[in-house]
Amino acid sequence: QVQLVETGGGLVQAGDSLRLSCAASGHTFDVQDMAWFRQPQGKERELVASINWSTLATSYVDSLKGRFTISGDTVKNMVYLQMNSPKEEDTAVYFCAARYGGSLQFNAWGLGAHVVVSS
């Protein structure tokens, strides 16, 4: 199994920057993709960005491309989400996720990091 722990959430002013971190442990050798999802209050969880754990190729939801950057360190088993110029609508719980063991779906989740963007 893979365990994930997010850190770095909190209160940020709109227009500033914030970096979320995710530490992976366990069967990290079996990870295929890592990703960040987010869930605004009262809304469904949505994919923000993903990174292939072999090639480190990244993918983003179009609306966030250019403001958010996902990166990974396969030696430290860390994934990061750099949030630049956040907006109030970026307020959400951000979840780190992993797809491992040949699963077609993301099958490991962190508990989430709450991010509040204030104007």
Side-chain angles (χ1 to χ4, degrees), residues 44-110:
E44 293 188 356
R45 187 158 50 188
E46 60 181 3
L47 176 66
V48 173
S50 64
I51 182 167
N52 181 282
W53 212 232
S54 295
T55 65
L56 296 183
T58 59
S59 177
Y60 297 89
V61 64
D62 285 344
S63 61
L64 297 175
K65 201 177 296 185
R67 289 198 299 119
F68 288 13
T69 303
I70 188 172
S71 61
D73 185 328
T74 57
V75 175
K76 297 180 179 179
N77 291 314
M78 296 290 296
V79 183
Y80 306 98
L81 184 69
Q82 180 68 39
M83 303 169 59
N84 293 329
S85 300
K87 304 175 182 180
E88 286 186 80
E89 53 261 42
D90 295 321
T91 294
V93 179
Y94 285 74
F95 296 91
C96 179
R99 189 170 69 88
Y100 72 98
S103 174
L104 298 180
Q105 306 292 332
F106 285 95
N107 51 349
W109 296 86

Side-chain angles (χ1 to χ4, degrees), residues 6-18:
E6 303 95 338
T7 55
L11 178 66
V12 61
Q13 293 281 337
D16 280 348
S17 62
L18 185 72

Side-chain angles (χ1 to χ4, degrees), residues 19-57:
R19 189 176 82 158
L20 302 179
S21 300
C22 172
S25 60
H27 291 184
T28 55
F29 58 87
D30 211 15
V31 170
Q32 296 138 235
D33 298 286
M34 300 286 290
W36 287 96
F37 287 75
R38 69 182 185 182
Q39 186 168 20
Q41 190 171 6
K43 297 184 179 180
E44 293 188 356
R45 187 158 50 188
E46 60 181 3
L47 176 66
V48 173
S50 64
I51 182 167
N52 181 282
W53 212 232
S54 295
T55 65
L56 296 183

